[in-house]
Amino acid sequence: MVRISAVFIAVCMVLIAGSIGFVVYLRFGLTGAESFLVGLGVLTALAVYNAVAARSRDRAEVSDQIASISRSSADLARQLAEFGRQLGTVETKVDSVLDKALASAQPLAVEIEELSTLVKHLADSVAAHEAVLAGLSGKQRIAPAAPAVAANNVTAAVPMPDPAAAPAAPIAGMIAAFNGLDRDGIIAAINSAIEGSRIELYLQPIVTLPQRKVRYYEALSRLKADNGDLVAACDFLKFAEAGGLMPKLDNLSVLRCVQVVRRLLLKNRDIGLFCNLSSATLTDSGFPRFLEFAEANRAIAPALVFEFTQEAVRGMGPIEHESLAALAERGFRFSMDNLTDLRVEPRELTERGFRFIKAPAALLLNRIGAASTDIHPADLSDLLGRFGIDLIAERIEAEGAVVDLLDYDVRFGQGFLFSPPRPVRAEALQGADAAKTDAADQAKRDAAAPRGAGLAQLARTGSGRP
């Protein structure tokens, strides 16, 4: 618009100058050159006048803008002054509240200190009483003299049997499947079950909330005892760990999980499977074979999640971290479960390849005591999400818990409310059991081969589609 007006003014000035030159040429009898110079002079004068007038208008507009900015600055200064005054008032009130709080807390601190002193004295007294009771019980354990045998007026007492020479007693409170077995017997029974492929695989779904659509499964182990009873993992894993059987059990579980994952992916490409691992597997001498098996099945790595307990993750050292890094390089992801508190380091877990954390619903909802965490449990899901970790609430058994967890923005749930663990069909594991047998035969044939021979053959025979 400005350019059009400038062109119009220029055209008008040219017409005015030309008209004046033409009039001078006709009226006053000047020559054509003189008339042209007169017109040019008039055009120059008009141009100079227009430039001066435009400069004056611009200067006036700039002055108005400066005045407006000055008024705005003055208003802003007044608002800042008012804000500073209000901030000072708030600081004064905060200081007053803090002083009152400190004054109220000081007597409590003194009472707590006195209580701690009393508790310490009580603990010392209890320890002293326990020491006295231990001494008395030790005296009572001294065997009384047996019926004396008189010989030359000398009395001989029958000696007590040596406790170390007594056979190992069965473990008290044992489940029916292991009834009458001691610790070594239970370990032998578990080893026999692993060798005989009597470790059955159960699957429990992990659903989205609130849609309750199955998104993942967790693989759970059940030991089939000689009497036909099924023993849950929580009842036999502690004996398997004591007997050093966890790497062997994990190898069998992972092999079967691979077969199950391949079957699941044939029906749904967005499904996943959680497979529990022990940290002992990461430090076992056979881990290179395990790694070769993982390498052979890296195509399904996005669908297979290795799960470790919170205790195992916190106890990991450099060797475990190196093994985790090797699995992460092959595309596998990790999960942490069995949380006893909510003190987690999401940044560190993300760097190690952890993408899931499974916490009991009762712990998230603060129903089993105060949740040990630096943030409120309601903010935990959002915090983990910022680091690429999904929070899964497990052990959900009531509808009320689902409603409360939705307020905490929990996206996944697992528990008996949705479905109990169900056994995997036998035909889904036939390929895995055959692969395990072939791998065992190959291991016997290649006993002198390098360390990576065993599971490499296992990968070739057991990783195909069923």
Side-chain angles (χ1 to χ4, degrees), residues 309-353:
T309 65
Q310 184 183 48
E311 181 182 4
V313 173
R314 288 179 173 175
M316 287 183 178
I319 299 178
E320 289 90 341
H321 292 162
E322 183 179 354
S323 300
L324 283 181
L327 289 173
E329 288 177 359
R330 287 153 178 82
F332 291 91
R333 300 174 296 171
F334 311 120
S335 171
M336 184 171 68
D337 71 342
N338 286 351
L339 267 66
T340 57
D341 59 68
L342 299 180
R343 292 193 301 269
V344 296
E345 296 294 337
R347 184 186 303 276
E348 181 180 353
L349 292 174
T350 300
E351 293 174 353
R352 294 182 184 176

Side-chain angles (χ1 to χ4, degrees), residues 59 144 420:
R59 187 173 298 173

Side-chain angles (χ1 to χ4, degrees), residues 140-288:
Q140 292 175 357
R141 283 195 298 267
I142 298 176
V149 179
N152 296 329
N153 298 326
V154 177
T155 304
V158 178
M160 295 295 292
D162 185 7
I171 298 177
M174 185 52 57
I175 60 177
F178 297 145
N179 190 23
L181 297 178
D182 58 6
R183 176 178 175 274
D184 294 336
I186 295 174
I187 294 175
I190 296 173
N191 185 45
S192 176
I194 297 175
E195 294 291 343
S197 296
R198 288 186 283 107
I199 303 295
E200 298 189 359
L201 201 64
Y202 278 61
L203 298 185
Q204 186 175 30
I206 300 172
V207 302
T208 60
L209 298 178
Q211 299 86 359
R212 304 193 182 188
K213 178 182 179 182
V214 177
R215 182 62 180 84
Y216 305 99
Y217 288 95
E218 180 179 3
L220 305 172
S221 297
R222 299 287 187 270
L223 185 147
K224 189 172 184 180
D226 294 334
N227 60 357
D229 291 345
L230 290 177
V231 184
C234 59
D235 293 326
F236 73 84
L237 282 184
K238 54 186 177 182
F239 297 104
E241 292 176 355
L245 300 177
M246 289 307 300
K248 185 185 298 185
L249 178 62
D250 286 345
N251 286 334
L252 176 60
S253 298
V254 171
L255 178 60
R256 291 182 167 181
C257 286
V258 167
Q259 297 296 320
V260 172
V261 166
R262 290 186 177 277
R263 281 186 172 268
L264 292 174
L265 292 178
L266 288 177
K267 300 178 181 179
N268 185 358
R269 301 298 300 180
D270 296 328
I271 206 71
L273 181 66
F274 285 69
C275 180
N276 291 276
L277 280 188
S278 169
S279 58
T281 302
L282 302 178
T283 58
D284 185 62
S285 59
F287 182 74

